[in-house]
Amino acid sequence: MIAESQTPFGEKLAATARAFWQGFCQPSLPALMLIACAAIGAACLMLACVTPQTLAGPIGDYVPRATKDNEAFATVEAFRLAYTPNPAPNSNHLTLIGNSIVAQAFASESGMAQDLQAATRQPWSVSVLTTPYQGPLDEAALADYATRQDPGIVVLSMGFDRFGQAREDYLHFYKMARVGLRSDWTDDQVRTILHERPRRSTGIYVVDNRKFLLLNATSTLLRFLVQTPADRRIDSYIRTDGTHEMALGYRGEIIRHLHNSYRPNQLAIDLVALTVKRLQERGARVIFFEAPMSDDLFARPSDRQLYNKYLAASPKVARDLGAYYCRPPASAQPPAKVFPDYFHVAEPYWQQKLRQALAHCVADMTK
């Protein structure tokens, strides 16, 4: 009797399950409406939840895809500097902004803070915002966010790689939108100096930074689900080409750039001048750091002459911008073997020597 009374219910349940599966698998108006509602709900949830403030929180640990995803590391660190309370309110703050040369030269935030404390007898906190091939437009955006709460001291790179690029090169990297933040500082550079219309801004983070989010979304979700953030290594840019011929080709590329940029061009100066002006208006003090190059890079006397001309002009460029020029002394010049690819420093001993050189410049500037 019990089995007979349960049979109709089981049949109804099976029929319901078959109907549900059929409706789920086959196109139908209710299925389409369900999918549309789910998509709209997910989009609204993303618009509401994915903001600079949320990325500045614990979720930001999972945004970088891998150890070398420096654009994501720099983005999250910039948001944290802009939106979270200063964890060391009684210390001085130093922000290092630059490309792979800066990252390889200093390598460690904690090491830089220790060397600054030894040189100045004061506590320091340090943030490194380095990205590959960083140009003046990404530099301006990172500088904007990094100094909103605590301007402190900002270190920018001064190498001849800063100069000599064409207007189209700047716009190319700008349109790539590699860092996940938008800044009026950058848009003003594009509008007033490059005379181009900035990327459209809606004020909605997900929309304005969709390229960055699409690149990182899947890995962010996976890392969050397994609770495994990527480990950061700042000095992760060493380039090893494998063959002598490829290394020589790389050297030729650098020398060609030197020939185009040993005399700083006005376009590059105008771009960085606007960033420095904004930083100074905010109360930040700016240092331009001249990273050393391998002596092997200048095998021909004519190349060495061009580099010396560039070095002679750099202090005046920094001085005209109202900034401090810092070039490491001869004792901190690494030997050629320390440069696997002519300008990236690879050994911890010499990275510490360069950190100490910068720390002495900071001490001198802040006397």
Side-chain angles (χ1 to χ4, degrees), residues 144-157:
D144 175 15
Y145 281 85
T147 57
R148 290 186 178 185
Q149 289 199 78
D150 186 0
I153 295 176
V154 177
V155 178
L156 306 178
S157 64

Side-chain angles (χ1 to χ4, degrees), residues 203-245:
I204 302 172
Y205 180 79
V206 173
V207 176
D208 294 340
N209 299 276
R210 55 191 177 277
K211 289 184 179 180
F212 175 82
L213 290 174
L214 286 173
L215 182 64
N216 290 67
T218 302
S219 61
T220 298
L221 179 60
L222 291 174
R223 286 192 173 278
F224 179 76
L225 290 175
V226 298
Q227 293 291 290
T228 307
D231 292 325
R232 185 186 188 191
R233 179 177 174 180
I234 294 172
D235 56 334
S236 60
Y237 294 89
I238 293 298
R239 178 175 176 176
T240 54
D241 291 315
T243 66
H244 182 63
E245 290 75 15

